[in-house]
Coordinates of all heavy atoms in Angstrom, one line a residue:
M16 N -3.4 -17.6 -16.8 CA -3.7 -17.6 -15.4 C -5.2 -18.2 -15.2 O -6.0 -17.9 -16.1 CB -3.6 -16.3 -14.7 CG -2.2 -15.8 -14.7 SD -2.1 -14.3 -13.7 CE -0.4 -14.0 -13.7
A17 N -5.4 -18.8 -14.1 CA -6.8 -19.3 -13.9 C -7.2 -19.0 -12.5 O -6.4 -19.2 -11.5 CB -6.8 -20.9 -14.0
F18 N -8.4 -18.4 -12.3 CA -8.9 -17.9 -11.1 C -10.3 -18.4 -10.8 O -11.1 -18.5 -11.8 CB -8.9 -16.4 -11.0 CG -7.6 -15.7 -11.1 CD1 -7.1 -15.3 -12.4 CD2 -6.8 -15.5 -10.0 CE1 -5.8 -14.7 -12.5 CE2 -5.5 -14.9 -10.1 CZ -5.1 -14.5 -11.3
P19 N -10.6 -18.7 -9.5 CA -12.0 -19.1 -9.2 C -13.0 -18.1 -9.7 O -12.8 -16.9 -9.4 CB -12.0 -19.3 -7.7 CG -10.5 -19.4 -7.3 CD -9.8 -18.6 -8.4
G20 N -14.1 -18.5 -10.3 CA -15.1 -17.5 -10.7 C -14.8 -16.8 -12.0 O -15.7 -16.1 -12.5
M21 N -13.5 -16.8 -12.4 CA -13.1 -16.0 -13.6 C -12.7 -17.0 -14.7 O -12.7 -16.6 -15.9 CB -12.0 -15.1 -13.2 CG -12.4 -14.0 -12.2 SD -11.0 -13.1 -11.6 CE -10.9 -11.8 -12.8
G22 N -12.2 -18.2 -14.3 CA -11.7 -19.1 -15.3 C -10.4 -18.8 -15.8 O -9.6 -18.0 -15.2
V23 N -10.1 -19.2 -17.0 CA -8.8 -19.0 -17.6 C -8.8 -17.6 -18.2 O -9.7 -17.2 -18.9 CB -8.5 -20.0 -18.7 CG1 -7.2 -19.7 -19.4 CG2 -8.4 -21.4 -18.1
M24 N -7.7 -16.8 -18.0 CA -7.6 -15.4 -18.4 C -6.4 -15.3 -19.3 O -5.4 -15.8 -19.1 CB -7.6 -14.5 -17.2 CG -8.8 -14.5 -16.4 SD -8.6 -13.4 -15.0 CE -8.8 -11.8 -15.8
R25 N -6.6 -14.4 -20.3 CA -5.5 -14.1 -21.2 C -4.7 -12.8 -20.7 O -5.3 -12.1 -19.9 CB -6.0 -13.8 -22.6 CG -6.5 -15.0 -23.3 CD -7.1 -14.7 -24.7 NE -7.6 -15.7 -25.5 CZ -8.0 -16.9 -25.3 NH1 -7.9 -17.4 -24.1 NH2 -8.4 -17.8 -26.2
A26 N -3.5 -12.6 -21.1 CA -2.7 -11.5 -20.6 C -3.4 -10.2 -20.6 O -3.3 -9.4 -19.6 CB -1.3 -11.5 -21.3
T27 N -4.0 -9.8 -21.7 CA -4.6 -8.5 -21.8 C -5.8 -8.4 -20.8 O -5.9 -7.3 -20.2 CB -5.1 -8.3 -23.3 OG1 -6.0 -9.3 -23.6 CG2 -4.0 -8.1 -24.3
D28 N -6.5 -9.4 -20.6 CA -7.6 -9.4 -19.6 C -7.1 -9.3 -18.2 O -7.7 -8.6 -17.4 CB -8.5 -10.6 -19.8 CG -9.2 -10.7 -21.1 OD1 -9.5 -9.7 -21.7 OD2 -9.4 -11.9 -21.6
I29 N -6.0 -10.0 -17.9 CA -5.4 -9.9 -16.6 C -4.9 -8.5 -16.3 O -5.2 -7.9 -15.2 CB -4.2 -10.9 -16.5 CG1 -4.7 -12.3 -16.6 CG2 -3.4 -10.7 -15.2 CD1 -3.6 -13.3 -16.9
L30 N -4.2 -7.9 -17.2 CA -3.7 -6.5 -17.0 C -4.9 -5.5 -16.8 O -4.8 -4.6 -16.0 CB -2.8 -6.1 -18.2 CG -1.5 -6.9 -18.3 CD1 -0.8 -6.5 -19.5 CD2 -0.6 -6.7 -17.1
A31 N -5.9 -5.7 -17.6 CA -7.1 -4.8 -17.5 C -7.7 -4.9 -16.1 O -8.1 -3.9 -15.5 CB -8.1 -5.0 -18.6
S32 N -7.9 -6.2 -15.6 CA -8.5 -6.4 -14.4 C -7.7 -5.9 -13.2 O -8.2 -5.4 -12.2 CB -8.8 -7.9 -14.2 OG -7.7 -8.6 -13.9
L33 N -6.4 -5.9 -13.3 CA -5.5 -5.4 -12.2 C -5.6 -3.9 -12.1 O -5.5 -3.4 -11.0 CB -4.1 -5.8 -12.5 CG -3.7 -7.3 -12.3 CD1 -2.3 -7.6 -12.8 CD2 -4.0 -7.7 -10.9
R34 N -5.9 -3.2 -13.1 CA -6.0 -1.7 -13.0 C -7.1 -1.3 -12.1 O -7.1 -0.3 -11.5 CB -6.2 -1.1 -14.4 CG -4.9 -1.1 -15.2 CD -5.1 -0.3 -16.6 NE -4.1 -0.8 -17.5 CZ -4.4 -1.7 -18.5 NH1 -5.6 -2.2 -18.6 NH2 -3.4 -2.1 -19.3
E35 N -8.2 -2.1 -12.1 CA -9.4 -1.8 -11.4 C -9.5 -2.5 -10.0 O -10.4 -2.2 -9.2 CB -10.7 -2.1 -12.2 CG -10.7 -1.4 -13.6 CD -10.7 0.1 -13.5 OE1 -11.3 0.6 -12.5 OE2 -10.0 0.7 -14.3
A36 N -8.7 -3.5 -9.8 CA -8.8 -4.3 -8.6 C -8.4 -3.5 -7.3 O -7.4 -2.8 -7.3 CB -7.9 -5.5 -8.7
P37 N -9.2 -3.7 -6.2 CA -8.8 -3.1 -5.0 C -7.5 -3.8 -4.5 O -7.3 -5.0 -4.7 CB -9.9 -3.4 -4.0 CG -10.8 -4.4 -4.7 CD -10.4 -4.4 -6.1
R38 N -6.7 -3.1 -3.8 CA -5.4 -3.6 -3.3 C -5.5 -4.4 -2.1 O -6.4 -4.1 -1.3 CB -4.4 -2.4 -3.1 CG -4.2 -1.5 -4.3 CD -4.0 -2.1 -5.6 NE -2.8 -3.0 -5.7 CZ -2.6 -3.8 -6.7 NH1 -3.5 -3.9 -7.7 NH2 -1.6 -4.6 -6.7
W39 N -4.7 -5.4 -1.9 CA -4.6 -6.1 -0.6 C -4.0 -5.3 0.5 O -3.0 -4.6 0.2 CB -3.8 -7.4 -0.8 CG -4.4 -8.3 -1.8 CD1 -4.0 -8.6 -3.1 CD2 -5.6 -9.1 -1.7 NE1 -4.8 -9.5 -3.7 CE2 -5.8 -9.8 -2.9 CE3 -6.5 -9.3 -0.7 CZ2 -6.9 -10.7 -3.1 CZ3 -7.6 -10.2 -0.9 CH2 -7.8 -10.8 -2.1
T40 N -4.5 -5.3 1.7 CA -3.9 -4.6 2.8 C -2.8 -5.5 3.5 O -1.8 -5.0 4.0 CB -4.9 -4.2 3.9 OG1 -5.6 -5.3 4.3 CG2 -5.8 -3.1 3.3
S41 N -3.0 -6.9 3.3 CA -2.0 -7.8 3.8 C -2.2 -9.2 3.1 O -3.3 -9.5 2.8 CB -2.0 -8.0 5.3 OG -3.2 -8.6 5.7
V42 N -1.1 -9.9 3.0 CA -1.2 -11.3 2.5 C -0.2 -12.1 3.3 O 1.0 -11.7 3.5 CB -0.8 -11.3 1.0 CG1 -0.7 -12.7 0.5 CG2 -1.7 -10.5 0.1
V43 N -0.7 -13.3 3.7 CA 0.2 -14.2 4.5 C 0.3 -15.5 3.6 O -0.8 -16.0 3.2 CB -0.4 -14.5 5.9 CG1 0.5 -15.5 6.6 CG2 -0.4 -13.2 6.7
M44 N 1.5 -16.0 3.4 CA 1.7 -17.2 2.7 C 2.1 -18.3 3.6 O 2.9 -18.0 4.6 CB 2.7 -17.0 1.6 CG 2.3 -16.1 0.5 SD 3.6 -16.0 -0.7 CE 2.8 -15.1 -2.0
S45 N 1.6 -19.5 3.4 CA 2.0 -20.7 4.3 C 2.1 -21.9 3.4 O 1.7 -21.9 2.2 CB 1.0 -20.9 5.4 OG -0.3 -21.1 4.9
N46 N 2.5 -23.0 4.0 CA 2.5 -24.3 3.3 C 3.3 -24.2 2.0 O 2.9 -24.7 0.9 CB 1.1 -24.9 3.0 CG 0.3 -25.0 4.2 OD1 0.9 -25.5 5.2 ND2 -0.9 -24.7 4.2
R47 N 4.4 -23.5 2.0 CA 5.2 -23.2 0.8 C 6.0 -24.5 0.3 O 6.5 -25.2 1.1 CB 6.2 -22.1 1.0 CG 5.5 -20.8 1.3 CD 6.6 -19.7 1.5 NE 6.1 -18.8 2.5 CZ 6.8 -17.8 2.9 NH1 8.0 -17.5 2.4 NH2 6.3 -16.9 3.8
A48 N 6.0 -24.7 -1.0 CA 6.7 -25.8 -1.6 C 7.4 -25.2 -2.8 O 6.8 -24.4 -3.5 CB 5.8 -26.9 -1.9
L49 N 8.6 -25.7 -3.1 CA 9.4 -25.2 -4.2 C 9.9 -26.4 -5.0 O 10.4 -27.4 -4.4 CB 10.6 -24.4 -3.8 CG 11.6 -24.0 -4.8 CD1 11.0 -23.0 -5.8 CD2 12.8 -23.3 -4.1
A50 N 9.7 -26.4 -6.3 CA 10.3 -27.4 -7.2 C 11.1 -26.7 -8.2 O 10.7 -25.6 -8.7 CB 9.2 -28.3 -7.8
R51 N 12.2 -27.3 -8.6 CA 13.0 -26.7 -9.7 C 13.4 -27.8 -10.7 O 14.4 -28.5 -10.6 CB 14.3 -26.2 -9.1 CG 15.0 -25.2 -10.0 CD 16.1 -24.4 -9.3 NE 16.6 -23.4 -10.2 CZ 17.3 -22.4 -9.8 NH1 17.7 -22.3 -8.6 NH2 17.7 -21.5 -10.7
P52 N 12.4 -28.1 -11.6 CA 12.6 -29.2 -12.5 C 13.8 -29.0 -13.5 O 14.3 -30.0 -14.0 CB 11.3 -29.3 -13.3 CG 10.6 -27.9 -13.1 CD 11.1 -27.4 -11.8
R53 N 14.1 -27.7 -13.7 CA 15.3 -27.4 -14.5 C 16.0 -26.2 -13.9 O 15.3 -25.5 -13.1 CB 14.9 -27.1 -16.0 CG 14.4 -28.2 -16.7 CD 14.2 -27.9 -18.2 NE 14.2 -26.5 -18.6 CZ 13.7 -26.0 -19.7 NH1 13.0 -26.9 -20.5 NH2 13.8 -24.8 -20.0
R54 N 17.2 -25.9 -14.3 CA 17.9 -24.8 -13.7 C 17.2 -23.4 -14.0 O 17.2 -22.5 -13.1 CB 19.3 -24.7 -14.4 CG 20.2 -23.6 -13.9 CD 21.5 -23.5 -14.7 NE 21.2 -23.3 -16.1 CZ 20.9 -22.1 -16.7 NH1 20.6 -21.1 -16.0 NH2 20.7 -22.0 -18.0
D55 N 16.4 -23.4 -15.1 CA 15.8 -22.1 -15.4 C 14.3 -22.1 -15.2 O 13.6 -21.2 -15.7 CB 16.1 -21.8 -16.9 CG 15.6 -22.8 -17.9 OD1 15.3 -24.0 -17.4 OD2 15.5 -22.5 -19.1
V56 N 13.8 -23.1 -14.4 CA 12.3 -23.2 -14.2 C 12.1 -23.3 -12.7 O 12.7 -24.2 -12.0 CB 11.7 -24.3 -14.9 CG1 10.2 -24.5 -14.6 CG2 11.8 -24.2 -16.4
L57 N 11.2 -22.5 -12.1 CA 10.8 -22.7 -10.7 C 9.3 -22.8 -10.6 O 8.6 -22.1 -11.3 CB 11.2 -21.4 -9.9 CG 12.6 -21.1 -9.6 CD1 12.8 -19.8 -9.0 CD2 13.3 -22.2 -8.8
V58 N 8.9 -23.8 -9.8 CA 7.4 -24.0 -9.6 C 7.2 -23.8 -8.1 O 7.8 -24.5 -7.3 CB 6.9 -25.3 -10.0 CG1 5.4 -25.5 -9.8 CG2 7.3 -25.6 -11.5
L59 N 6.3 -22.8 -7.7 CA 6.0 -22.5 -6.3 C 4.6 -23.0 -6.0 O 3.7 -22.7 -6.8 CB 6.1 -21.0 -6.0 CG 7.4 -20.4 -6.4 CD1 7.3 -18.9 -6.1 CD2 8.6 -20.9 -5.5
G60 N 4.4 -23.7 -4.9 CA 3.1 -24.0 -4.4 C 3.0 -23.4 -3.1 O 3.9 -23.3 -2.3
Y61 N 1.8 -22.8 -2.7 CA 1.6 -22.2 -1.4 C 0.1 -21.9 -1.2 O -0.7 -22.0 -2.1 CB 2.3 -20.8 -1.4 CG 2.0 -19.9 -2.5 CD1 1.1 -18.9 -2.4 CD2 2.7 -20.0 -3.8 CE1 0.8 -18.1 -3.5 CE2 2.5 -19.2 -4.8 CZ 1.5 -18.2 -4.7 OH 1.2 -17.4 -5.7
T62 N -0.2 -21.7 0.1 CA -1.5 -21.2 0.5 C -1.4 -19.8 0.8 O -0.4 -19.4 1.5 CB -2.0 -22.0 1.7 OG1 -2.1 -23.4 1.4 CG2 -3.4 -21.6 2.2
A63 N -2.3 -19.0 0.3 CA -2.3 -17.5 0.6 C -3.6 -17.1 1.3 O -4.7 -17.6 0.9 CB -2.1 -16.8 -0.7
E64 N -3.5 -16.2 2.2 CA -4.7 -15.6 2.8 C -4.5 -14.1 2.7 O -3.6 -13.5 3.3 CB -4.8 -16.0 4.3 CG -6.1 -15.4 4.9 CD -6.5 -15.9 6.2 OE1 -6.7 -17.1 6.3 OE2 -6.5 -15.1 7.2
G65 N -5.4 -13.4 1.9 CA -5.3 -12.0 1.7 C -6.4 -11.3 2.4 O -7.5 -11.8 2.6
H66 N -6.1 -10.1 2.8 CA -7.1 -9.2 3.4 C -7.2 -7.9 2.7 O -6.2 -7.3 2.3 CB -6.7 -9.0 4.9 CG -6.6 -10.2 5.7 ND1 -7.7 -10.7 6.4 CD2 -5.6 -11.1 5.8 CE1 -7.3 -11.8 7.0 NE2 -6.1 -12.1 6.7
R67 N -8.5 -7.5 2.5 CA -8.8 -6.1 2.0 C -9.7 -5.4 3.0 O -10.5 -6.1 3.6 CB -9.5 -6.2 0.7 CG -8.7 -6.7 -0.5 CD -9.5 -6.7 -1.8 NE -8.6 -6.9 -2.9 CZ -8.9 -7.8 -3.9 NH1 -10.0 -8.5 -3.9 NH2 -8.0 -8.0 -4.9
D68 N -9.6 -4.1 3.1 CA -10.4 -3.4 4.0 C -11.9 -3.6 3.7 O -12.3 -3.5 2.5 CB -10.1 -1.9 3.9 CG -8.8 -1.5 4.5 OD1 -8.3 -2.3 5.3 OD2 -8.2 -0.5 4.1
G69 N -12.7 -4.0 4.7 CA -14.1 -4.1 4.5 C -14.6 -5.4 3.9 O -15.7 -5.6 3.5
S70 N -13.7 -6.4 3.7 CA -14.0 -7.6 3.1 C -13.6 -8.8 3.9 O -12.7 -8.7 4.8 CB -13.3 -7.8 1.7 OG -13.8 -6.8 0.8
E71 N -14.2 -10.0 3.7 CA -13.8 -11.2 4.4 C -12.5 -11.6 3.8 O -12.1 -11.3 2.7 CB -14.8 -12.3 4.1 CG -16.2 -12.1 4.7 CD -16.1 -12.2 6.2 OE1 -15.5 -13.1 6.8 OE2 -16.7 -11.3 6.9
P72 N -11.7 -12.3 4.6 CA -10.4 -12.8 4.1 C -10.6 -13.7 2.9 O -11.6 -14.4 2.8 CB -9.8 -13.7 5.3 CG -10.5 -13.1 6.5 CD -11.9 -12.7 6.0
Y73 N -9.6 -13.7 2.0 CA -9.6 -14.5 0.8 C -8.5 -15.5 1.0 O -7.3 -15.2 1.1 CB -9.4 -13.7 -0.4 CG -9.3 -14.4 -1.7 CD1 -10.5 -14.8 -2.4 CD2 -8.1 -14.7 -2.3 CE1 -10.4 -15.5 -3.6 CE2 -8.0 -15.4 -3.5 CZ -9.2 -15.8 -4.1 OH -9.1 -16.5 -5.3
R74 N -8.9 -16.8 1.0 CA -7.9 -17.9 1.2 C -7.9 -18.8 0.0 O -8.9 -19.3 -0.4 CB -8.2 -18.7 2.5 CG -7.1 -19.6 3.0 CD -7.4 -20.0 4.4 NE -6.2 -20.8 4.9 CZ -6.2 -22.1 4.9 NH1 -7.3 -22.8 4.5 NH2 -5.2 -22.7 5.3
C75 N -6.7 -19.1 -0.5 CA -6.6 -20.0 -1.7 C -5.3 -20.8 -1.7 O -4.3 -20.4 -1.0 CB -6.8 -19.2 -3.0 SG -5.5 -17.9 -3.2
H76 N -5.3 -21.9 -2.4 CA -4.1 -22.6 -2.7 C -3.6 -22.2 -4.1 O -4.4 -22.1 -5.0 CB -4.4 -24.1 -2.7 CG -5.0 -24.6 -1.4 ND1 -4.3 -24.6 -0.2 CD2 -6.2 -25.0 -1.1 CE1 -5.1 -25.0 0.8 NE2 -6.3 -25.3 0.2
C77 N -2.3 -22.0 -4.3 CA -1.8 -21.4 -5.5 C -0.6 -22.2 -6.0 O 0.1 -22.8 -5.3 CB -1.3 -20.0 -5.3 SG -2.6 -18.9 -4.7
T78 N -0.4 -22.2 -7.3 CA 0.8 -22.6 -8.0 C 1.2 -21.5 -8.9 O 0.4 -20.8 -9.6 CB 0.7 -23.9 -8.8 OG1 -0.3 -23.7 -9.8 CG2 0.3 -25.1 -7.9
S79 N 2.5 -21.2 -9.0 CA 3.1 -20.2 -9.9 C 4.3 -20.8 -10.5 O 5.1 -21.4 -9.8 CB 3.4 -18.9 -9.1 OG 2.3 -18.3 -8.5
T80 N 4.5 -20.6 -11.8 CA 5.6 -21.1 -12.5 C 6.4 -20.0 -13.1 O 5.8 -19.1 -13.8 CB 5.2 -22.1 -13.6 OG1 4.5 -23.2 -13.0 CG2 6.4 -22.7 -14.3
Y81 N 7.7 -20.0 -12.9 CA 8.6 -18.9 -13.4 C 9.6 -19.5 -14.3 O 10.1 -20.6 -14.0 CB 9.3 -18.2 -12.3 CG 8.3 -17.4 -11.4 CD1 7.7 -18.0 -10.3 CD2 8.1 -16.0 -11.6 CE1 6.8 -17.3 -9.5 CE2 7.3 -15.3 -10.8 CZ 6.6 -15.9 -9.8 OH 5.7 -15.2 -9.0
V82 N 10.0 -18.8 -15.3 CA 11.1 -19.2 -16.2 C 12.2 -18.0 -16.2 O 11.8 -16.8 -16.3 CB 10.6 -19.4 -17.6 CG1 11.7 -19.7 -18.6 CG2 9.6 -20.6 -17.6
E83 N 13.4 -18.4 -16.1 CA 14.5 -17.4 -16.2 C 14.7 -17.1 -17.7 O 14.9 -18.0 -18.5 CB 15.8 -17.9 -15.6 CG 16.9 -16.9 -15.6 CD 18.1 -17.4 -14.9 OE1 18.3 -18.6 -14.9 OE2 18.9 -16.6 -14.5
D84 N 14.8 -15.8 -18.0 CA 14.9 -15.3 -19.3 C 15.9 -14.1 -19.3 O 15.5 -13.1 -18.8 CB 13.6 -14.9 -19.9 CG 13.7 -14.5 -21.4 OD1 14.6 -14.9 -22.1 OD2 12.8 -13.7 -21.8
G85 N 17.1 -14.3 -19.8 CA 18.0 -13.2 -19.8 C 18.4 -12.7 -18.5 O 18.6 -11.5 -18.3
G86 N 18.4 -13.5 -17.4 CA 18.8 -13.1 -16.1 C 17.6 -12.5 -15.3 O 17.8 -12.1 -14.1
H87 N 16.4 -12.6 -15.8 CA 15.2 -12.1 -15.1 C 14.2 -13.3 -15.0 O 14.1 -14.1 -16.0 CB 14.5 -11.0 -15.9 CG 15.4 -9.8 -16.0 ND1 15.7 -8.9 -15.0 CD2 16.1 -9.4 -17.1 CE1 16.5 -8.0 -15.4 NE2 16.8 -8.2 -16.7
W88 N 13.5 -13.4 -13.9 CA 12.5 -14.4 -13.7 C 11.2 -13.9 -14.2 O 10.7 -12.8 -13.8 CB 12.4 -14.8 -12.3 CG 13.6 -15.6 -11.9 CD1 14.8 -15.2 -11.3 CD2 13.8 -17.0 -12.1 NE1 15.7 -16.2 -11.1 CE2 15.1 -17.4 -11.6 CE3 13.1 -18.0 -12.7 CZ2 15.6 -18.6 -11.7 CZ3 13.6 -19.3 -12.8 CH2 14.9 -19.6 -12.3
K89 N 10.5 -14.6 -15.1 CA 9.2 -14.2 -15.6 C 8.1 -15.2 -15.2 O 8.3 -16.4 -15.4 CB 9.3 -14.1 -17.2 CG 10.2 -13.0 -17.6 CD 10.2 -12.8 -19.1 CE 11.1 -11.7 -19.5 NZ 11.1 -11.5 -21.0
L90 N 7.0 -14.7 -14.8 CA 5.8 -15.5 -14.5 C 5.2 -16.0 -15.7 O 4.9 -15.2 -16.6 CB 4.8 -14.7 -13.6 CG 3.5 -15.5 -13.3 CD1 3.8 -16.6 -12.2 CD2 2.5 -14.5 -12.7
V91 N 5.1 -17.4 -15.9 CA 4.5 -17.9 -17.1 C 3.2 -18.7 -16.8 O 2.4 -19.0 -17.7 CB 5.5 -18.8 -17.9 CG1 6.6 -18.1 -18.4 CG2 5.9 -20.0 -17.0
Q92 N 2.9 -18.9 -15.5 CA 1.7 -19.6 -15.2 C 1.3 -19.3 -13.7 O 2.2 -19.2 -12.9 CB 1.9 -21.1 -15.3 CG 0.7 -22.0 -14.9 CD 0.6 -22.3 -13.4 OE1 1.6 -22.3 -12.7 NE2 -0.6 -22.6 -12.9
H93 N 0.0 -19.1 -13.5 CA -0.5 -18.9 -12.1 C -1.9 -19.5 -12.0 O -2.7 -19.2 -12.9 CB -0.5 -17.4 -11.7 CG -1.0 -17.2 -10.3 ND1 -0.3 -17.5 -9.2 CD2 -2.2 -16.8 -9.9 CE1 -1.0 -17.2 -8.1 NE2 -2.2 -16.8 -8.5
Q94 N -2.1 -20.2 -10.9 CA -3.5 -20.8 -10.8 C -3.8 -20.7 -9.3 O -3.0 -20.8 -8.4 CB -3.4 -22.3 -11.2 CG -4.7 -23.1 -11.1 CD -4.9 -23.7 -9.8 OE1 -4.0 -24.1 -9.1 NE2 -6.2 -23.8 -9.4
Q95 N -5.1 -20.5 -9.0 CA -5.7 -20.4 -7.7 C -6.9 -21.3 -7.5 O -7.7 -21.4 -8.4 CB -6.1 -19.0 -7.3 CG -5.0 -18.0 -7.3 CD -5.5 -16.6 -6.9 OE1 -6.7 -16.4 -6.5 NE2 -4.7 -15.6 -7.1
T96 N -6.9 -22.0 -6.4 CA -8.1 -22.8 -6.0 C -8.5 -22.3 -4.6 O -7.7 -22.3 -3.7 CB -7.7 -24.3 -6.0 OG1 -7.3 -24.7 -7.3 CG2 -8.9 -25.1 -5.6
M97 N -9.8 -22.0 -4.5 CA -10.3 -21.6 -3.2 C -10.0 -22.6 -2.1 O -10.2 -23.8 -2.3 CB -11.8 -21.3 -3.3 CG -12.2 -20.2 -4.2 SD -11.6 -18.6 -3.6 CE -12.5 -18.3 -2.2
A98 N -9.6 -22.2 -0.9 CA -9.4 -23.0 0.2 C -10.6 -23.0 1.1 O -11.3 -22.0 1.2 CB -8.2 -22.6 1.0
A99 N -10.9 -24.1 1.7 CA -12.0 -24.2 2.7 C -11.7 -23.5 3.9 O -10.7 -23.2 4.3 CB -12.3 -25.7 3.0

């Protein structure tokens, strides 16, 4: 995964950071796009605006890629770019 200000993160670092992260109170997604290059691969593109208590809204453009594995969809890639 790649995040603004954090760069590319490995799975163990991502899991550790999620344990300490404040939770979102709301998230709104817009400008959604879906591509399915293969039956077992989904690529989502979207703009997200998240809100946390006491903080300015966080707005970013995202892509997330999922692969079907044994009947379950698994996230294999996620990237965020800050929106203006």
Side-chain angles (χ1 to χ4, degrees):
M16 294 187 176
F18 296 95
M21 300 169 85
V23 176
M24 298 179 70
R25 291 176 176 23
T27 54
D28 297 329
I29 294 164
L30 293 173
S32 72
L33 288 174
R34 285 187 206 98
E35 304 300 322
R38 307 313 302 167
W39 298 105
T40 55
S41 68
V42 176
V43 175
M44 293 181 173
S45 60
N46 303 318
R47 296 181 215 179
L49 172 66
R51 196 165 189 170
R53 293 188 349 201
R54 181 187 58 76
D55 60 343
V56 176
L57 291 173
V58 181
L59 304 176
Y61 52 95
T62 299
E64 182 170 301
H66 299 266
R67 288 184 172 133
D68 291 335
S70 296
E71 292 292 317
Y73 178 81
R74 192 164 184 265
C75 60
H76 304 292
C77 304
T78 61
S79 300
T80 304
Y81 293 85
V82 174
E83 185 180 22
D84 181 26
H87 300 283
W88 289 97
K89 295 184 178 181
L90 179 68
V91 295
Q92 177 275 335
H93 178 77
Q94 183 271 331
Q95 295 181 10
T96 301
M97 294 296 292

